[in-house]
Every structure is written in C-alpha cells, then in structure tokens.
Amino acid sequence: MKREENKSRCPINFTVEIFGDTWSLLIVRDIAALGKKTFGEFLESKERIGSSVLAERLAHLERKGIISKKPSESDKRKFIYSLTDKGLDVLPILYEFAVYGSMHSPDPDAPDVWFKALEYDKQTVVRLWREAIKSGSSFFLGPESVVNKLGL
C-alpha cells in the first residue's frame, strides 16, 4: 500500500517532510546566503553533496514548490535555480537555524558580517534578505545584498 504524501496534517510534520534531511536547507542556504544558482555551484559547497543526492534534493524542492528552475540564458545546457515565493517564506526559519548554530556551535565558521548582522532587528534583516534575493542578490553577495544594505 502506497503511503500518503504526508504522514500527518501536523504543521511541524509538513515542514519536516520538506526540510528534514541533511541537504535541503543547505541548498536553500546556498541560494539565499551565497547566491549559488547552478548544479555545479551547489556541488562546490564545502559539505560535499554527491551529484545523485543533489539531483534528487533539487527535484524534491522543485516538486514542493520551494525552488524553480529555468534554462540558463547563456548556456541552454545549464539550469538556473531560484527560490519561489514559497521558498522565500523559509528565510525566517533559515535565519533562526543560523542564529542557533552561531550561538551553540563550539567554533562557528561564518563571515564576520554575519555576526554583525545579528546585532540588527530580525524582521529588518529577514525583510532585506528577501528583497536581496528578489533582486538577484543574496545575503552576502550582490549590489542589493543584506551586507551592502546594512553597510557591513
């Protein structure tokens, strides 16, 4: 007998079924924080995701409406991945995960500007982050990045 799409209608379960693996939030992080957009860029992440796992996770996030993909304008063999509006709604969760890791990791590895951004109001940072991504930038990179908007 085939299992239902979701184990239950619990909101936490719904979210865990989308993001409850090792890689999905890291892919969203790579898009949102680092401005990565292509399969090859995701493969270069320091966590070293395998290509078959990456392909499966990208397809999963696309099916769930978190990311979209379109052919690259410069190279039709490549796809460009981006967050959808539903994916942008994950930013507050990603922010809180990063805050938790920043506070509790014994040796957090992030640019200094991340820790400076934590001194700002969460709603402001998340709003600027959303605006940055919609403009084609990310948290750290691009002319509309959060780093640039906050003058970090």
Side-chain angles (χ1 to χ4, degrees):
M1 178 198 252
K2 186 176 177 191
R3 180 170 89 78
E4 300 262 338
E5 178 68 17
N6 295 97
K7 292 177 187 160
S8 74
R9 291 182 14 228
C10 168
I12 293 172
N13 176 71
F14 176 84
T15 305
V16 167
E17 289 203 13
I18 294 174
F19 299 107
D21 62 88
T22 302
W23 302 109
S24 292
L25 272 177
L26 294 177
I27 291 168
V28 172
R29 174 212 59 191
D30 282 356
I31 295 170
L34 305 173
K36 294 185 180 188
K37 295 177 178 8
T38 66
F39 192 90
E41 290 173 333
F42 298 126
L43 282 177
E44 294 170 359
S45 295
K46 61 180 144 186
E47 292 86 8
R48 302 177 43 101
I49 187 171
S51 61
S52 62
V53 173
L54 175 58
E56 194 280 320
R57 289 288 89 198
L58 289 169
H60 168 78
L61 291 170
E62 186 179 13
R63 278 192 312 275
K64 294 297 185 178
I66 304 301
I67 62 172
S68 63
K69 76 175 183 179
K70 64 180 182 179
S72 167
E73 292 179 10
S74 61
D75 182 351
K76 297 297 181 196
R77 297 169 297 167
K78 282 186 181 178
F79 288 100
I80 303 298
Y81 294 91
S82 59
L83 293 176
T84 62
D85 285 337
K86 187 175 176 181
L88 289 170
D89 289 341
V90 176
L91 291 178
I93 297 168
L94 194 62
Y95 177 89
E96 291 298 339
F97 263 78
V99 168
Y100 182 88
S102 297
M103 291 173 29
H104 297 288
S105 172
D107 188 24
D109 181 19
D112 289 340
V113 292
W114 164 251
F115 300 105
K116 287 183 173 113
L118 293 179
E119 297 170 9
Y120 288 82
D121 173 70
K122 171 188 170 182
Q123 282 72 31
T124 300
V125 173
V126 171
R127 178 182 52 79
L128 291 173
W129 200 358
R130 185 180 192 99
E131 291 170 4
I133 293 168
K134 284 189 153 207
S135 76
S137 292
S138 67
F139 190 95
F140 295 108
L141 303 172
E144 302 296 316
S145 70
V146 176
V147 169
N148 281 345
K149 291 285 185 164
L150 292 177
L152 303 174

